[in-house]
Amino acid sequence: MARPIVEARGIHKHFGALHVLKGVDLEVAERELVFVIGPSGSGKSTLLRCLNRLEEPSSGSVVVDGIDMLDPKTDINRARQRIGMVFQSFNLYPHMTALGNVTLALRKVAGKSRVEAEALGRAALKRVGLADRAGHTPGQLSGGQQQRVAIARAIALEPRVMLFDEPTSALDPELVGSVLEVMCDLRESGMTMIVVSHEMGFARNAADRVIFMDHGLIVEQGPPVAIFENPSQERTRAFIGQIQRH
Amino acid sequence: MSTWDRFVDTFFNARVMAKYLPDILSGVVVTIELAVLIVASGLLAGLALALVRALAIRPLNWLIIFIVDLFRSLPPLVIIVLIYFGLPAAGLSPSGFVSTWIALGLVLMAFAEEIFWAGITSIPRGQWEAARSTGLGFGQTLLNVVLPQALRLTIPPLTNRTIAITKGTALGTVVAVTEILGQASSAVSNSYNPSPLMMGSAAYVVLFLPVVVAARWIETKFAWKR
Ligand SMILES: Nc1ncnc2c1ncn2[C@@H]1O[C@H](COP(=O)(O)OP(=O)(O)OP(=O)(O)O)[C@@H](O)[C@H]1O
Ligand SMILES: [Mg+2]
């Protein structure tokens, strides 16, 4: 097997007295889609945020695309360009248009000229089906559209990995589909993705591997069918049963 | 002479007014100069302090908070007097004009810092995280993402505070600044007639009413969007 594109080893994270991650190992191969599930508070978001160092792990190592993310000598801003992140609450910049949101980092971090950045930004918006919304501000867009702009903002930088933290949880049910569709397209284009979500249907269709986390540890992982139909751990079984009842 | 005529002769004496109009006008110029200097330097210094405070360097922040609280709690008149009569002891002798400028500039700086800081901290953490996750640095995020949103929120309280402090230019009279009130009151004592004071009041209204009206307009404009 080729070298994994994401290699996290022995990740521990403490928030004061709270031990949130208790030694998580995660390897993700290129083009793989890893789907992460687990109860609230199990540390899923914290794990994602340790991968691009939005959160500083208390110990462990994180290597993404060959770059040691925790090395103080690493240019973290450069490294983060290769790791796209999509948040539950979109976090679009409300004072900028959709195009402004997508081009900001292209201009300020990637060093593109305004013309270049806008061309790339429009292409990214087109990929998420929002070519005609470039001039709209977030306030003028639906939740689903906002989240797609957020995805465009991340993919415009041509990341090697994309992290999704509950990308559809804040959306009205009828808007979820449009975002999942964009994520499926992205997956088909070969993007490596780590997705924290409750969308089991999406996981069945698109995930290569499902990881179940509980109390800061990976309890069980495997192909979607194995985890959903036939989990080996009691805790996984209980969790899957619980969410399928909803 | 009727009572009315006497009233007009006392408070709106045409001869006195004509005589002292040039003085009042030169006072207007001084007030405008002083106000512009105070607003520009006070707001800039306040913004600079708020930006430094965002760096979250502990001892520096304690110092900023101390300075800000000090100048917010001292009466502006006291600060003017302290600078004017106190600095000569340190070998500097600022004019009344400069003393008033520095004092009110410091007061505006202190209030502006608090207002800017409140604006910066009110921007959700998710904005920082989204920007940082795309590779923007701390400063780039502050300048491009956080500050533009924060400034919007600060405009109404900032205009109010700015108006209140620029009106304090009248305090400059105690250190012999020849601004509107200073000119008017010396004209009053030279002419034994209060008419120049009426002119001075009119000058303040002419000067500040448009600013107050503009501030009201800005406030409503920025209060509803978001
Ligand atoms: N910045 C922080 N400071 C203190 N505690 C934190 C912080 N961030 C997360 N936590 C705590 O860490 C634990 C794990 O949080 P995390 O957000 O990773 O869970 P999660 O699995 O994503 O949960 P959810 O499904 O609710 O999003 C929680 O108990 C949370 O309260
Ligand atoms: Mg979470």
Side-chain angles (χ1 to χ4, degrees), chain A residues 15 18 20 38-47 49 55 88 165-166 196 198, chain B residues 125:
Chain A
F15 288 113
L18 202 60
V20 173
S40 182
S42 56
K44 309 179 294 291
S45 299
T46 307
L47 176 61
R49 296 156 58 84
E55 218 64 84
Q88 179 174 351
D165 193 358
E166 306 205 26
V196 174
H198 302 297
Chain B
R125 211 169 68 139

Side-chain angles (χ1 to χ4, degrees), chain A residues 49 77 80 92 95 108, chain B residues 127 129 132 135 140 144 149:
Chain A
R49 296 156 58 84
N77 295 326
R80 279 181 181 150
L92 290 183
H95 59 302
K108 302 288 174 186
Chain B
Q127 292 287 309
E129 293 179 345
R132 297 305 305 270
Q140 287 177 318
N144 295 288
Q149 298 182 58

Side-chain angles (χ1 to χ4, degrees), chain A residues 226-242:
Chain A
I227 299 293
F228 293 149
E229 312 290 343
N230 196 13
S232 65
Q233 302 290 317
E234 184 47 44
R235 275 192 282 174
T236 318
R237 212 187 319 273
F239 179 75
I240 303 272
Q242 207 177 7

Side-chain angles (χ1 to χ4, degrees), chain B:
Chain B
M1 228 185 191
S2 71
T3 316
W4 172 250
D5 287 340
R6 224 173 307 140
F7 172 79
V8 170
D9 191 57
T10 307
F11 288 97
F12 299 95
N13 187 304
R15 194 184 39 81
V16 174
M17 283 172 116
K19 184 172 177 205
Y20 290 101
L21 183 64
D23 288 356
I24 299 292
L25 287 181
S26 84
V28 168
V29 172
V30 172
T31 295
I32 290 175
E33 286 173 346
L34 198 47
V36 167
L37 285 172
I38 291 166
V39 171
S41 55
L43 293 183
L44 267 179
L47 182 59
L49 281 191
L51 293 179
V52 171
R53 192 167 170 187
L55 297 174
I57 303 166
R58 278 273 177 81
L60 217 49
N61 282 7
W62 290 333
L63 185 66
I64 291 171
I65 291 167
F66 172 74
I67 291 173
V68 162
D69 285 352
L70 185 68
F71 285 110
R72 290 197 307 162
S73 50
L74 282 172
L77 182 60
V78 172
I79 305 172
I80 293 172
V81 170
L82 278 177
I83 290 176
Y84 186 71
F85 294 104
L87 280 192
L92 296 163
S93 35
S95 65
F97 182 90
V98 171
S99 302
T100 309
W101 169 23
I102 294 175
L104 296 182
L106 287 171
V107 174
L108 182 56
M109 171 193 80
F111 281 99
E113 190 279 336
E114 278 304 290
I115 293 169
F116 285 129
W117 179 245
I120 289 172
T121 51
S122 72
I123 302 306
R125 211 169 68 139
Q127 292 287 309
W128 283 95
E129 293 179 345
R132 297 305 305 270
S133 76
T134 60
L136 260 67
F138 176 87
Q140 287 177 318
T141 303
L142 188 59
L143 291 182
N144 295 288
V145 175
V146 174
L147 211 52
Q149 298 182 58
L151 290 184
R152 259 188 105 100
L153 300 173
T154 60
I155 284 172
L158 217 48
T159 41
N160 276 334
R161 186 54 72 178
T162 302
I163 291 166
I165 289 170
T166 43
K167 276 191 298 192
T169 48
L171 296 171
T173 43
V174 298
V175 290
V177 179
T178 54
E179 46 67 69
I180 298 172
L181 185 62
Q183 292 288 14
S185 52
S186 65
V188 167
S189 47
N190 290 337
S191 64
Y192 301 105
N193 182 292
S195 297
L197 208 52
M198 295 294 115
M199 278 200 287
S201 311
Y204 277 113
V205 171
V206 170
L207 217 52
F208 282 102
L209 197 61
V211 181
V212 174
V213 170
R216 186 184 290 282
W217 178 78
I218 290 172
E219 259 176 58
T220 47
K221 185 166 151 52
F222 283 93
W224 293 103
K225 287 212 187 153
R226 275 288 296 168

